[in-house]
Structure formats: C-alpha cells, structure tokens
C-alpha cells in the first residue's frame, strides 16, 4: 500500500487538511483533490480562485480549472466559465461524463454545467467589485493619447482596459492560482488546478491552468506537476510537461522544477511576472521552484501535519 501524500501551492491550506484526512481514510486522490480545491474556491478571502475571484476587464469573473488522472492520463477541464462557483467539480464532470473531450470553454462549458445541474451563483463579491473599481480608476500618470477627448467612448474603454492588463500588478497579499497534487494509497496520482486567472484580463483570455502540459500534467508512471503565476510563460514553455519529462529522465523533483524556471527565463516576455511550479512523484517525493524569494508549498504526508517547504529559488 502506498503512503498518501498531498502537495499544494500557497493558499491551498484552506482545503489541504480536510483532503489529507480523506486520503488517510482511504479516499481516492481524485476525491481528495476535488475536495481541497472546492474549499479553496469557497474561500471568499482568496481573490484568485472561485467565488470572490477578481474579474476580467469587463468586470466578469471567468474561472478555469482542471483535473488529470495519472494512471489513464484522462483530463477534465473548463476555461472562461462564468457563473458557476465550483469549476473544479465541473472539470471533474467533464472528465467522467464527457470522456470524448478534455476541455470545454466559455458558453459551452456553462451549457454543460447547466445540463449537469450545477448551481449558478453570482461570483463577484463586494470586495472583488471594490478592488476592480479601484483598479479601473484612471491612474494619475495615465496618458490620454492623441485626440483623447474626441475618442469614441468604447475605444477609450478598451484601450484603458488593455493599459490595465499591461500594467497589471497583483494587489498586496497572497495571490495566484491554486495547485493540488495527490498520491493515494492505491498509487494513483492526480493533479488539480483552479483559478480566476489574471485579474483584469482580456475577456476570454485563458492561461495555463486548464491546458494539459502547460499548467498541469500527470503520469502515474513518472509524476505530476502544476504551475502558478504567469500562465503565458507556462503555455509557451509547455511548463508542467517539461517538468514531468525531466522527472522521466531521472532528474530529482526539485531539479525538474528548476528546469522549467530556467527554460522560462530564456523566453522574452515584457509582462514577465512570477512563475512557480511544484511536482510529486509516484514514490512520494516532491519539489518546487519559484523565481521569487520566500515562496513555499504545502505538504501533508501520511496522516501527518501540514508542513511548509521552501521552493528552490531560480
Ligand atoms: N496561472 C494562471 C493563469 O495565468 O491564469
């Protein structure tokens, strides 16, 4: 029997302990990962996932989530899903009820969620709305551009929104996507990711979190990996798959995570921001790496307590 292990990114604590208790009682990795992420999605103080997630440039909350099962490499994922508070459960339903597909987006994802009986909810909380309005206030050094006053209102709006995307900085406090990786007593490995994506993003923008090989990858023979931070860098480098490939070549978990950060560093990107990754192997080893100091990930091994592990700084 395999000793269960759970690994989660920053702010996964909200769900990790309950999921660890489930795993210790013999639950599947899939159930544990879904439960951990549902609890994170319900955390109103977290503005980067689920209800309370920060909206796109039009003020709409668009959520992405994914699950991948290591033994079958089955994937269920949703992207740009509006109005459903638990995208991770919709992703699981895609995995189980729509096996001919891996990823549903936008209207189609919402149609599927409705057909499957998921409850709708208003995801934009008062606090997220306040942060949005504050971010949309013209900055003192905003440049109107040529003929500013005469500009068509819509075009001005769009240029302002794009300006916001370009100068996006995360607000103070913990931020980013949440990753949870689990190994259960049967030896199954599962990866899960949930996010509201980049705040003030262009409507319809999808990052790495629901894209297999980019924001997540899981192969029970080799390992699971998942990313947080600047999704475009993970998309452009095939981030999570790159880490799993490094594990397959025999790299240790931390070295495999470092390999992604080193690869990403070589990619030109005017919008470069934090990129973090973590991984878990079928024999319970784990590692993480980040481009910024002070980054950690959470681990629960067996029935033990949650511990915080420093990510390698690359
Ligand atoms: N890593 C999450 C995103 O870029 O949307």
């Amino acid at each position: 029997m395999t000793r269960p292990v759970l690994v989660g990114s920053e702010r996964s604590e909200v769900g990790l302990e309950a999921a660890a208790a489930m795993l210790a009682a013999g639950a599947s990795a899939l159930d544990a990962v879904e439960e951990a992420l549902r609890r994170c999605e319900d955390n109103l103080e977290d503005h980067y996932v689920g209800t309370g997630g920060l909206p796109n440039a039009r003020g709409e909350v668009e959520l992405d989530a994914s699950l991948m099962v290591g033994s079958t490499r089955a994937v269920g994922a949703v992207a740009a899903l509006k109005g459903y508070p638990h995208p991770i459960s919709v992703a699981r339903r895609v995995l189980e009820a729509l096996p001919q597909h891996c990823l549903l987006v936008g209207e189609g994802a919402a149609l599927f969620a409705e057909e499957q009986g998921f409850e709708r909810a208003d995801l934009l909380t008062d606090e997220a709305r306040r942060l949005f309005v504050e971010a949309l206030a013209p900055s003192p050094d905003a440049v109107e551009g040529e003929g500013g006053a005469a500009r068509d209102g819509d075009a001005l709006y769009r240029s302002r929104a794009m300006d916001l995307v370009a100068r996006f900085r995360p607000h103070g406090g913990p931020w980013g996507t949440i990753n949870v990786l689990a190994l259960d007593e049967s030896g199954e490995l599962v990866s899960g990711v949930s996010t509201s994506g980049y705040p003030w993003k262009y409507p319809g923008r999808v990052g790495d979190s629901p894209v297999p090989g980019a924001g997540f990858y899981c192969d029970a023979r080799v390992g699971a990996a998942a990313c947080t931070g600047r999704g475009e860098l993970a998309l452009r480098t095939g981030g999570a798959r790159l880490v799993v490939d490094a594990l397959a070549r025999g790299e240790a978990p931390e070295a495999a995570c470092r390999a992604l950060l080193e690869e990403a560093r070589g990619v030109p990107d005017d919008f470069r921001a934090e990129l973090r990754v973590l991984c878990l192997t079928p024999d319970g080893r784990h590692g993480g790496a980040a481009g910024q100091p002070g980054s950690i990930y959470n681990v629960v091994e067996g029935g033990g307590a949650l511990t915080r592990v420093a990510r390698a700084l690359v």
Side-chain angles (χ1 to χ4, degrees):
M1 200 166 77
T2 306
R3 188 167 79 129
V5 181
L6 264 170
V7 175
S9 59
E10 287 90 343
R11 303 179 348 280
S12 61
E13 306 84 2
V14 170
L16 229 51
E17 277 168 349
M22 289 171 65
L23 274 186
S28 70
L30 190 58
D31 284 344
V33 170
E34 182 188 7
E35 181 60 27
L37 287 168
R38 281 180 68 92
R39 287 175 183 241
C40 296
E41 289 168 346
D42 284 337
N43 177 13
L44 298 186
E45 282 165 23
D46 191 324
H47 293 301
Y48 293 88
V49 64
T51 307
L54 291 170
N56 67 18
R58 271 204 305 225
E60 300 158 331
V61 179
E62 289 183 323
L63 302 177
D64 307 331
S66 62
L67 283 164
M68 184 164 184
V69 178
S71 61
T72 57
R73 281 179 276 168
V75 168
V78 290
L81 175 64
K82 291 186 223 169
Y84 290 89
H86 294 117
I88 195 66
S89 294
V90 185
R92 180 168 181 173
R93 200 63 67 82
V94 172
L95 190 150
E96 290 176 336
L98 208 63
Q100 66 273 40
H101 298 311
C102 290
L103 168 62
L104 296 180
V105 307
E107 260 179 46
L111 174 68
F112 177 74
E114 186 187 353
E115 270 183 5
Q116 293 288 319
F118 285 93
E119 283 200 12
R120 289 186 60 84
D122 182 3
L123 306 182
L124 190 64
T125 59
D126 291 345
E127 174 65 1
R129 188 176 287 109
R130 185 188 69 70
L131 289 165
F132 178 62
V133 168
E134 194 178 285
L136 280 178
S139 68
D141 39 45
V143 181
E144 274 297 303
E146 248 172 71
R151 255 193 216 176
D152 166 67
D154 235 7
L156 178 59
Y157 171 82
R158 268 193 285 274
S159 99
R160 280 274 164 82
M162 291 311 294
D163 178 53
L164 281 166
V165 172
R167 65 185 174 79
F168 162 70
R169 298 280 182 282
H171 77 283
W175 67 284
T177 300
I178 300 186
N179 306 146
V180 178
L181 309 177
L183 174 65
D184 68 23
E185 62 179 32
S186 77
E188 184 63 279
L189 258 184
V190 168
S191 71
V193 183
S194 188
T195 189
S196 49
Y198 258 58
W200 342 136
K201 62 193 170 187
Y202 198 95
R205 175 269 186 189
V206 172
D208 58 325
S209 303
V211 179
F216 67 95
Y217 198 72
C218 187
D219 180 337
R221 301 167 302 179
V222 182
C227 303
T228 63
R230 177 142 171 80
E232 282 73 7
L233 278 178
L235 282 164
R236 292 168 68 194
T237 53
R241 179 65 197 245
L242 184 152
V243 173
V244 173
D245 283 351
L247 290 172
R249 287 195 305 273
E251 301 274 6
E254 190 177 291
C257 290
R258 280 178 173 277
L260 169 58
L261 273 286
E262 279 154 13
E263 178 72 10
R265 184 178 287 156
V267 173
D269 182 12
D270 289 343
F271 302 90
R272 184 172 299 278
E274 238 183 283
L275 179 65
R276 285 158 286 167
V277 64
L278 47 81
C279 70
L280 174 63
T281 64
D283 58 1
R285 291 170 300 134
H286 46 81
Q292 286 72 28
S295 182
I296 58 98
Y297 63 95
N298 298 308
V299 182
V300 186
E301 291 171 299
L306 185 147
T307 56
R308 290 190 161 78
V309 180
R311 294 181 196 247
L313 178 62
V314 181

